[in-house]
Amino acid sequence: MYRPLDHPTMTELAELGLSNYEETAYRTLLVTGAVSASDLSDASGVPRGRIYDVLNGLEARGIVRTQSTDPTRYTPVDPETVVDRLLSERTRELASEFDRYRSVAASVRADLLPAPPVDSSFWLGSLGSEEMRAAMNRHVRTAREHVRATVGPPYERASWETLQTEVDAFLDGVGEDVRVDLLCSEAVLDVLPESFPDLLADRNAAVRAVPTVGVSFDVIDAAAVTVDVPDPLSPADRLGVVGITDSEVAAAFEARFERLWVEAEPLLGR
């Protein structure tokens, strides 16, 4: 019968993920070689009520092997292989923990930031994306009297196929009795097909042109504004749209539109 081994405090294997009993059993096996579970319990001091759970766990992790004898005998896998396996396990665990803590940090950071004002919002979405088409459609449906929109960057560099999806969503959302004023930059006119006026044939709409438009925006009933934010990494795309319902901001954009409209060249409608 083996005499239980005395070990100093075992910290290295514990740091790599072995419990005290697991480390004790494995280190004992390195001394005893192939041995039954009961004999290992006697040699290591791991209680018999725990030794099978310990050995099954070590076998599942590839740290010990079994021999088909009666009774079953256990042998240790060589230490170099064991350390590599434990290191891989620990690395995966730490990577998972890092991802979890990063998620927690993002949540905490969001909680610590001041809440955005209730009269503004930001919708993330590229040109022609399904989520932005739906957002635009819902947005213009709120109009009761008129929608006044400037169309410039980033629409100037988009294809008509991309632009058409947004035009369709825009027109589908605008009510029949709502007046639509479109102010386009000359670069946008180059994107529009000759059939574009046909899309507005049954609408209370007017189109005018100016050489350039600094920023694309629309004003709904002089009360709400949306401003397109071009994607700095892709000039032909949009990062998202800022929505503002502050009355002073809406009035300023309405006045800006009116100044541009008066100076613009009429192309269609009024």
Side-chain angles (χ1 to χ4, degrees), residues 14-33:
E15 287 191 49
L16 288 177
L18 290 188
S19 69
N20 183 58
Y21 282 159
E22 289 172 333
E23 181 174 358
T24 300
Y26 177 70
R27 286 183 180 271
T28 302
L29 281 173
L30 291 175
V31 175
T32 64

Side-chain angles (χ1 to χ4, degrees), residues 2 5 36 48 92 120 134 245:
Y2 299 104
L5 299 178
S36 67
R48 293 202 177 194
R92 289 192 297 270
S120 68
T245 56

Side-chain angles (χ1 to χ4, degrees), residues 70-85:
D70 188 17
T72 300
R73 296 166 69 85
Y74 297 84
T75 61
V77 173
D78 68 276
E80 184 173 351
T81 300
V82 167
V83 170
D84 287 343
R85 286 175 179 170

